Amino acid sequence: MHFMLTKFVDALPLPSVIQPVGHRNGIPYYEVTMKQVKQQLHRDLPPTTVWGYNGTYPGPTFETRRDHPIMVKWINELPFEHLLPVDRTIEGAEPNQPSVRTVVHLHGGRVRPENDGFPEAWFTRNFEKKGPKFLHEVYYYPNCQRSAPLWYHDHALGVTRLNVYAGLAGLYFIRDSQEESLNLPSGKFEIPLVIQDRSFYPNGELFYPSQPDPVPSPTPQVPFFPNPSIVPEFFGDTILVNGKVWPFLEVEPRKYRFRIYNGSNARFYNIRLSSGQPFIQIGSEGGLFDHPVVMEEIFLAPAERADVIVDFSQHKGERIIMTNSANSPFPGGTPPTPDTAQIMEFRVKKHLSHQDKSVIPTTLSCLERLNPDEAAVTRTNTLDESVDEFGRLLLLLNNMSWSDLPITETPKNGTIEIWQLFNRTNDTHPIHLHLVQFQIIDRASFTGDPLDPDNPKNPLIIGPAIPPEENEKGWKDTVRANPGEVTRIIARFGPFTGIYPWHCHILEHEDHDMMRPYEVLQNHDFDPCIPIPDVCPEDSFIQCCHEDHEHCGCIGGHDHDESSSHDESSSHH
Ligand code: C2O
Ligand code: CU
């Protein structure tokens, strides 16, 4: 908070790769414990209290393979009191709820609802208290989807913004032989970059506001303003990558593959390299594109990812800064300060350790184009602004709160749907659907009322369709819905049935209350074990069709004996 930390004095940390503690039914079994620890986030900052999976922020990285399932027991050993101000007026965080509740979501993962990290499937320290939707302690991840940069993070109802800000996020890669056959830069030349913003007290502790600044003055309607109170969105004044403030990375003069994540609560980044060189983007949230695209700048809203290749071979000895120019809030907010306009520094060495034999292939992967003509349903969804009982901005989807019934979005398993996202607010919202990866059809400006399109006083008028950006044409799980625009996305829902969230990934919006459940309904005309024509093998549902509960033995909450079923080779304890 208004004190200066020197930039580019700490080396970029790389999260460690987690190893299983054993096997259950032949499936690698992991344990991850959430802990409160002190971690040095900058050379000149005293160690900061953070919450880390296995005691590190960000958490350890999962390296998994397509079609090789894993199991994870997520354990909460956090303190009983929250590190950050909990607003008790937010749904799910009422005064009778424990302040520290956790549940882990694998973002981008094709997983059954009972392993998805439902916001009310939370649990407290040692599973002492459990949310109403809690089912079992061990989660099963089938990895039956193409290689992709997923991540895991907390998703507990009403405190997600605080839990993630405290540090509960980590990376999860699915890999496969198709990707490996491409000879992309790999090993120490493939580097994840998780970009987040934070603010600090001079004593090193995390700052997160307990009320908006300024606090609204009392009115006859609202004589009392909550303290703590949620804020409309929070932007830190300091940028971290992989848990270090403004780090540097020494690179060789060669090609690198960077897996860039926007892991921030609310900040958007428009990323460039000060050398003026472009990024060669090869993938997005759901995995590889069909062919690489050249991007002068990369725009990432919270939860969006970019898989890029950067070639430093023409920049020997240079220092290159990764910069940011996105307004916050986006688009109508203020430009970044000279500080938040910088993300990290690359220091290009003069010499190669050995020749760079990696390539940028012209063809990357099989990419099916979902056909809008095959959509069974086209939905009109709205992004809305409202006001809560304290006069605070309340953001909603379809003008409904998380727990309002009925569930209105109910795709049938195996069917294709178009979701039109009419943004009637003033901000861009990154909309994320659980379970599926989708494609962007187009965007268009609109005026009028999408819910009453023929209203003579306010007819719906939709402008010309704008195709997605070149780097938005692959599989996405998070899409920017811009104000005054309808963003049209298309997805094949399935292969699992049940209730999943969809929400804005600005975490302050998600908590208040821009999140809705949707339900994939059973479809007796659809058998996930019968291949769908023209689906690329790596996206096929049939690779998930035998992923039933018997394999994991993790349904029903009676898995208290899992430690005794570790195999002999277990390295645990
Ligand atoms: Cu990354 Cu439902 O979230
Ligand atoms: Cu939002």
Side-chain angles (χ1 to χ4, degrees), residues 386-450:
S386 181
V387 177
D388 75 3
E389 71 266 41
F390 302 106
R392 301 177 296 191
L393 178 68
L394 176 67
L395 291 152
L396 299 171
L397 298 171
N398 291 331
N399 268 316
M400 294 168 97
S401 293
W402 167 247
S403 53
D404 284 344
L405 292 172
I407 295 176
T408 42
E409 288 70 59
T410 52
K412 282 191 185 148
N413 197 10
T415 64
I416 292 175
E417 292 199 355
I418 296 170
W419 286 25
Q420 312 187 88
L421 307 168
F422 285 91
N423 185 347
R424 304 197 281 187
T425 78
N426 294 319
D427 290 334
T428 295
H429 300 276
I431 299 297
H432 169 49
L433 276 63
H434 287 212
L435 177 66
V436 294
Q437 295 286 338
F438 52 76
Q439 292 174 355
I440 304 174
I441 301 174
D442 56 27
R443 297 183 174 93
S445 64
F446 75 94
T447 55
D449 186 356

Side-chain angles (χ1 to χ4, degrees), residues 105 107 151 153 155 303 432 434 503 505 510:
H105 169 54
H107 180 125
W151 57 308
H153 61 75
H155 217 300
H432 169 49
H434 287 212
H503 59 88
H505 219 287
E510 172 182 341

Side-chain angles (χ1 to χ4, degrees), residues 61-75:
T61 298
F62 285 86
E63 286 286 353
T64 71
R65 295 194 70 77
R66 180 157 72 87
D67 289 334
H68 289 260
I70 67 162
M71 282 184 269
V72 184
K73 182 174 184 181
W74 302 102
I75 301 163

Side-chain angles (χ1 to χ4, degrees), residues 127-144:
F127 300 102
E128 270 164 29
K129 294 197 176 124
K130 294 160 183 171
K133 298 289 164 65
F134 180 92
L135 281 171
H136 50 88
E137 297 180 355
V138 178
Y139 274 18
Y140 177 80
Y141 300 119
N143 299 324
C144 54

Side-chain angles (χ1 to χ4, degrees), residues 369-378 416-418 439-442 489-490:
R369 256 297 106 243
L370 294 180
N371 181 355
D373 294 338
E374 287 177 28
V377 175
T378 297
I416 292 175
E417 292 199 355
I418 296 170
Q439 292 174 355
I440 304 174
I441 301 174
D442 56 27
I489 60 172
I490 183 166

Side-chain angles (χ1 to χ4, degrees), residues 110-335:
R110 195 184 258 179
V111 307
R112 286 188 180 275
E114 58 268 34
N115 300 310
D116 188 54
F118 201 72
E120 284 135 319
W122 51 261
F123 51 92
T124 63
R125 188 179 177 120
N126 301 323
F127 300 102
E128 270 164 29
K129 294 197 176 124
K130 294 160 183 171
K133 298 289 164 65
F134 180 92
L135 281 171
H136 50 88
E137 297 180 355
V138 178
Y139 274 18
Y140 177 80
Y141 300 119
N143 299 324
C144 54
Q145 63 190 99
R146 70 165 54 204
S147 70
L150 311 185
W151 57 308
Y152 60 97
H153 61 75
D154 195 79
H155 217 300
L157 192 67
V159 286
T160 296
R161 69 193 183 290
L162 306 173
N163 290 357
V164 174
Y165 190 83
L168 294 178
L171 305 183
Y172 187 112
F173 292 106
I174 300 177
R175 309 210 176 251
D176 68 8
S177 49
Q178 191 278 327
E179 177 190 323
E180 283 159 354
S181 72
L182 296 173
N183 192 18
L184 299 166
S186 63
K188 60 179 178 168
F189 306 112
E190 182 197 348
I191 292 180
L193 302 175
V194 183
I195 307 173
Q196 297 177 310
D197 58 337
R198 297 286 184 270
S199 292
F200 298 97
Y201 291 104
N203 68 0
E205 297 301 347
L206 285 172
F207 169 81
Y208 189 90
S210 56
Q211 285 192 311
D213 183 17
V215 181
S217 8
T219 64
Q221 295 78 34
V222 189
F224 157 83
F225 193 81
N227 185 13
S229 166
I230 193 165
V231 296
E233 47 220 339
F234 176 65
F235 303 102
D237 56 16
T238 303
I239 309 295
L240 294 83
V241 186
N242 299 351
K244 274 287 179 197
V245 173
W246 289 303
F248 70 85
L249 176 68
E250 282 205 328
V251 293
E252 295 185 17
R254 54 160 287 150
K255 292 189 284 302
Y256 278 75
R257 181 183 185 190
F258 294 112
R259 320 294 296 264
I260 309 177
Y261 288 68
N262 182 350
S264 306
N265 278 32
R267 186 180 286 280
F268 292 49
Y269 300 89
N270 192 21
I271 300 168
R272 279 180 173 265
L273 295 171
S274 62
S275 51
Q277 67 191 111
F279 300 93
I280 314 296
Q281 190 170 347
I282 58 173
S284 53
E285 292 93 85
L288 293 172
F289 298 153
D290 49 355
H291 64 270
V293 298
V294 178
M295 302 298 296
E296 297 294 329
E297 54 188 28
I298 291 189
F299 195 86
L300 291 180
E304 284 189 301
R305 285 91 80 195
D307 191 350
V308 304
I309 292 176
V310 176
D311 189 349
F312 294 111
S313 61
Q314 303 307 308
H315 300 273
K316 290 192 178 109
E318 288 179 28
R319 293 191 170 201
I320 298 172
I321 293 173
M322 181 186 265
T323 60
N324 163 40
S325 61
N327 288 357
S328 48
F330 190 83
T334 49

